[in-house]
Amino acid sequence: MSAEPNWEEITADKEAKKQQVIDYIKSKCTSVSEHEDLRAISACLANGGRMSISILTGGLANYTYKISATHCDDCDDRHLFAKLSFPFAMRFPDKPCPLSRTENEYIMMKKFYDLSPGCVATPYFCDDIGIDMKLLVTQWSPVDEQFANQFIDGAVDLRVAQKISRAIAALHCSEVDLDFNSTMKPWFNSLSPILKDILDETHNPEGKQDRVSALGMELGREATDEMFRCYEDTVNTASGLCHGDLHVFNVLVGAKPSIETLDNFFDTTGDMMICDWEMSHAGVAGHDLGTLRAFPIACAFAHSINGHHAAALNIINWLDVTWNAYEAAMRKAGTPDEEISKTCRHSLQFSALYLLASYALNIHMDFLPIDEGNAVDLTAVKEAVGYVGLKCFHWGVDDKISLDDLKTNLKQLIDAEMGRILQIKKVRRNRRSSVLRMSGRRVSDANIHYANWDRQSFISADCSLDVSERRSLLGKRLEEFTSGGELSTHVQAAAQ
């Protein structure tokens, strides 16, 4: 077991490194820099402006800062995002957390910027600084709200569907080094035992008895074991570049004009940016599509149980538009039908991973539009999420199902679950704007991936300790590899 970090020492260390960071950034801000932001900051400083630095978050394997050049009458204020990375996590100083992850994040951001300008913060530089530290500096994101808030609201901008589909299709069709960021593979493999536990639990006669376990029993252990084996093969396949963590909390959009009401849903631009590229790697395209789909499905079910069928349909329509736009972009790029079908199957496997984790481990579930403390509705939604997840897994490993049938099966299943959930509650609950937005709270990868893993047990008392210990260990692995602190990469910046 690793000792709890001394957070007072970490806070003091963040402060101590501020001057080192700001001095280095100043040295990069010159009149001949290739980046307009850096040239503008140079001019600001030359005209009497000053540069300031404020701590955003961090503390596990990186510190993050907001850099500002202000108080110059002749120039606009300028801001940068900076991340200072270390080769280890504070909580696990004996386990390596290679600095190559930050260099690869910079490389991928540059590549994605070239492929889809305006869909990622402009990366400015990633340099070695001091002893065993690497400094990544980027544009301060011009859009600052996590996209997940729109799904919590139940009103989702279709302009984003088109933009994100075209952008990730361009990434998936780009040239690839099949060894790119291969150090992330152990991290993804570390999730596999959690998924195996969840599948095994559906066969436990003394465990939770619900529709998910009934479906597991109906499929049989041999089938779920084969599903898991196929998933492990998929995780270890490298066929193209992918973001690797493309959930809707890692997509930033323009802020909602009014946070108090459900009116004026979207900003005028429809712009979006994809952030947090540390997990990008050579993998399968379905990884991104499947991850993107999971939380919206859960939100659709939550709106259904609240009696807001139109909000649920709005979300499902967004998912349909997103897949159709992605499929069209892939076909335009010359992707064969067989590859598109394979991507769809792989996407269902990764949707299953997130949906089953949400069902069994409460991942994401605290952010659904369900009143706090309403355990009855939350349990019903989680059961629907788990049921769809297991169905997706079953279909996602069956290469005999056609692409059209995969899409039809998924749509009919989600429609059926929404209809079933609508019958549970006869009292229609008032809709309200995202509590996350109204509180100014942002969701981090640390929170998304493991905040509640040890809090809820989904198995029998006989073996809960064993699996709880495994979750704790894997949660720490996640903490070690994501290097996130409380907020993840560019989402930290958006929180300020």
Side-chain angles (χ1 to χ4, degrees):
M1 299 290 289
S2 300
E4 180 72 14
N6 186 323
W7 294 109
E8 290 184 3
E9 289 184 3
I10 290 173
T11 299
D13 190 52
K14 289 180 194 175
E15 289 287 344
K17 288 185 167 59
K18 282 168 62 173
Q19 193 61 48
Q20 192 173 4
V21 169
I22 204 168
D23 286 346
Y24 191 84
I25 293 176
K26 278 183 179 179
S27 74
K28 301 286 285 192
C29 294
T30 69
S31 60
V32 295
S33 170
E34 65 175 306
H35 301 296
E36 195 272 335
D37 259 350
L38 303 188
R39 295 194 302 271
I41 291 174
S42 174
C44 181
L45 296 177
N47 288 323
R50 68 181 183 87
M51 183 179 285
S52 61
I53 181 170
S54 56
I55 297 171
L56 297 177
T57 185
L60 292 176
N62 62 64
Y63 301 155
T64 58
Y65 303 96
K66 179 179 182 179
I67 311 298
S68 302
T70 57
H71 304 303
C72 176
D73 293 337
D74 297 328
C75 350
D76 295 330
D77 291 352
R78 297 283 177 149
H79 307 285
L80 306 173
F81 171 79
K83 179 165 73 171
L84 185 65
S85 299
F86 316 112
F88 57 86
M90 296 295 179
R91 186 168 289 174
F92 307 95
D94 58 330
K95 297 184 183 298
C97 198
L99 287 174
S100 60
R101 74 189 190 278
T102 306
E103 183 68 32
N104 286 330
E105 181 175 12
Y106 172 70
I107 291 170
M108 185 58 76
M109 290 178 74
K110 285 187 65 176
K111 183 178 183 71
F112 193 64
Y113 178 84
D114 291 339
L115 290 169
S116 302
C119 294
V120 65
T122 309
Y124 292 153
F125 60 87
C126 183
D127 292 349
D128 294 321
I129 173 175
I131 301 174
D132 288 336
M133 295 186 294
K134 196 172 283 289
L135 181 65
L136 170 66
V137 174
T138 77
Q139 171 194 25
W140 186 261
S141 176
V143 290
D144 61 359
E145 177 167 290
Q146 288 180 306
F147 191 32
N149 283 311
Q150 293 190 8
F151 295 94
I152 298 170
D153 282 346
V156 193
D157 193 341
L158 289 177
R159 295 172 298 176
V160 177
Q162 298 288 341
K163 291 179 180 181
I164 197 170
S165 298
R166 290 193 295 265
I168 59 175
L171 176 66
H172 295 163
C173 292
S174 65
E175 293 184 4
V176 58
D177 171 4
L178 295 181
D179 290 325
F180 178 74
N181 214 11
S182 58
T183 55
M184 289 309 305
K185 289 294 185 181
W187 187 91
F188 291 115
N189 283 315
S190 75
L191 297 176
S192 296
I194 299 174
L195 180 59
K196 186 67 165 64
D197 283 339
I198 296 170
L199 293 174
D200 286 347
E201 181 57 20
T202 64
H203 305 291
N204 180 5
E206 298 180 1
K208 182 185 292 186
Q209 300 302 307
D210 60 10
R211 295 171 63 237
V212 184
S213 60
L215 177 57
M217 294 293 286
E218 177 185 334
L219 294 172
R221 183 176 292 275
E222 183 177 343
T224 58
D225 285 348
E226 177 62 15
M227 288 155 55
F228 179 73
R229 187 197 63 76
C230 289
Y231 167 80
E232 288 195 303
D233 287 346
T234 301
V235 167
N236 289 289
T237 297
S239 57
L241 289 174
C242 64
H243 178 279
D245 201 23
L246 193 62
H247 50 71
V248 290
F249 294 95
N250 270 344
V251 178
L252 301 180
V253 296
K256 181 180 179 181
S258 171
I259 67 170
E260 291 85 8
T261 72
L262 287 172
D263 298 326
N264 301 320
F265 283 114
F266 313 126
D267 77 321
T268 58
T269 68
D271 287 344
M272 71 90 196
M273 284 197 172
I274 299 174
C275 62
D276 205 352
W277 290 83
E278 276 190 324
M279 296 184 195
S280 58
H281 64 288
V284 297
H287 193 148
D288 290 340
L289 275 298
T291 304
L292 187 67
R293 183 188 292 131
F295 185 70
I297 290 175
C299 284
F301 292 163
H303 286 296
S304 292
I305 207 166
N306 289 332
H308 305 142
H309 190 51
L313 290 177
N314 183 277
I315 292 172
I316 301 308
N317 181 53
W318 188 90
L319 291 175
D320 290 342
V321 171
T322 299
W323 173 264
N324 290 336
Y326 174 81
E327 184 179 335
M330 296 296 283
R331 291 188 188 283
K332 185 176 180 180
T335 307
D337 288 353
E338 182 181 347
E339 284 301 311
I340 294 175
S341 296
K342 186 184 295 183
T343 294
C344 187
R345 289 196 301 274
H346 287 163
S347 77
L348 292 178
Q349 293 180 36
F350 283 99
S351 290
L353 171 67
Y354 272 82
L355 292 169
L356 288 169
S358 299
Y359 156 74
L361 307 176
N362 214 41
I363 306 289
H364 290 150
M365 296 295 96
D366 286 347
F367 314 121
L368 294 177
I370 294 176
D371 291 339
E372 185 175 358
N374 188 343
V376 174
D377 284 5
L378 181 60
T379 298
V381 168
K382 286 168 62 177
E383 183 175 307
V385 164
Y387 185 81
V388 170
L390 195 52
K391 279 282 193 180
C392 283
F393 210 164
H394 181 51
W395 294 330
V397 301
D398 188 346
D399 59 10
K400 298 182 181 63
I401 304 178
S402 70
L403 175 61
D404 286 343
D405 285 344
L406 286 172
K407 294 189 291 185
T408 299
N409 288 352
L410 180 60
K411 185 169 182 57
Q412 289 179 347
L413 174 63
I414 292 174
D415 287 346
E417 286 299 302
M418 289 196 304
R420 189 187 64 80
I421 291 172
L422 274 169
Q423 302 305 311
I424 295 176
K425 279 287 180 181
K426 302 302 182 183
V427 178
R428 181 183 175 91
R429 300 185 182 278
N430 291 330
R431 283 179 64 200
R432 59 188 180 189
S433 188
S434 167
V435 174
L436 286 176
R437 180 193 295 113
M438 295 183 70
S439 67
R441 184 181 176 193
R442 296 296 195 276
V443 178
S444 67
D445 281 348
N447 188 300
I448 286 170
H449 287 306
Y450 57 82
N452 296 310
W453 285 12
D454 289 327
R455 193 176 71 186
Q456 287 198 337
S457 173
F458 68 100
I459 64 171
S460 67
D462 294 6
C463 51
S464 60
L465 178 61
D466 177 69
V467 175
S468 176
E469 288 174 344
R470 177 179 286 183
R471 289 182 199 152
S472 179
L473 174 61
L474 291 171
K476 289 173 182 175
R477 288 184 191 170
L478 291 170
E479 198 171 52
E480 174 184 347
F481 279 94
T482 55
S483 313
E486 293 179 1
L487 295 173
S488 60
T489 311
H490 231 82
V491 177
Q492 308 115 332
Q496 297 302 306

